Amino acid sequence: ASLTPAELHAMLHPHFPPTNEQHSENGTPSSTTVYELPNLTVRCQLLNELGKGLLEHHNGSALHMISKADRSADALIGILLDSFPGFRDYVDTKEWDAAATGAPSPISREWEYAKSSSSSVIHFYKRAQIATADIWAALGRGGSAAAAATTTTSNATAEKNERSRNCCRFEDADLITTFPDYRVPQILRHVRVMRYASELANSVDGKAELDGGGSDEVSIRA
């Protein structure tokens, strides 16, 4: 859980798209486009959080973590939120009142407070839901096909793989709601299911950046 951005870049660089060279009319290189992974520092931070969370809460094993959910997608979402800060995405609406009056925000950002303050905290479960849905799709729902494709594995390996797939066959996958992806409000607005107030519409159409966690941004996402 101590990966540096430089180390992450070195690990991923061989998998980056190839360098793209633009040539002038006489055939000599005129410019070069080198792919750079965006938000490298943030990605590195999240990977370190993942390793730290697994080590501290789940004996360093992702399979051990998933098995704690007892084949419940809903339970795994809660485990992800409790184990990894990077999966937590929430806003406390009491902070809007403090901002409106110019007073210092009295709200604690501690996770235990956020979980217990259901009346004022709005949670977005997109990150944890996508992770859970991907695990289910790759190892749970597709478990039978994956098992059929690994006929050459040893009995011990096949048994281990089957145990892994079994704990990912969530019995309540239908409880996962639609992820609050940024594409959803775009589409709903396009088909006139959602309508923005004129001031907000002007900001969005003018590609103005909305304040993260502000009432406009949260209202669109919610």
Side-chain angles (χ1 to χ4, degrees), residues 89-93 96 114 117-125 218-219 222:
D89 184 5
Y90 62 91
V91 175
D92 194 325
T93 57
W96 298 346
S117 301
S118 58
S119 61
S120 63
V121 177
I122 299 173
H123 290 269
F124 296 97
Y125 298 113
V218 171
S219 297

Side-chain angles (χ1 to χ4, degrees), residues 129-182:
Q129 286 181 321
I130 287 180
T132 300
D134 284 348
I135 290 171
W136 173 69
L139 300 174
R141 182 181 60 178
S144 300
T150 56
T151 55
T152 60
T153 59
S154 66
N155 290 337
T157 301
E159 183 178 348
K160 182 179 179 180
N161 290 343
E162 179 58 26
R163 287 200 305 269
S164 301
R165 288 190 289 267
N166 187 56
C167 70
C168 299
R169 294 184 178 123
F170 305 131
E171 298 175 348
D172 58 352
D174 58 322
L175 293 180
I176 300 178
T177 61
T178 301
F179 315 141
D181 186 83
Y182 67 96

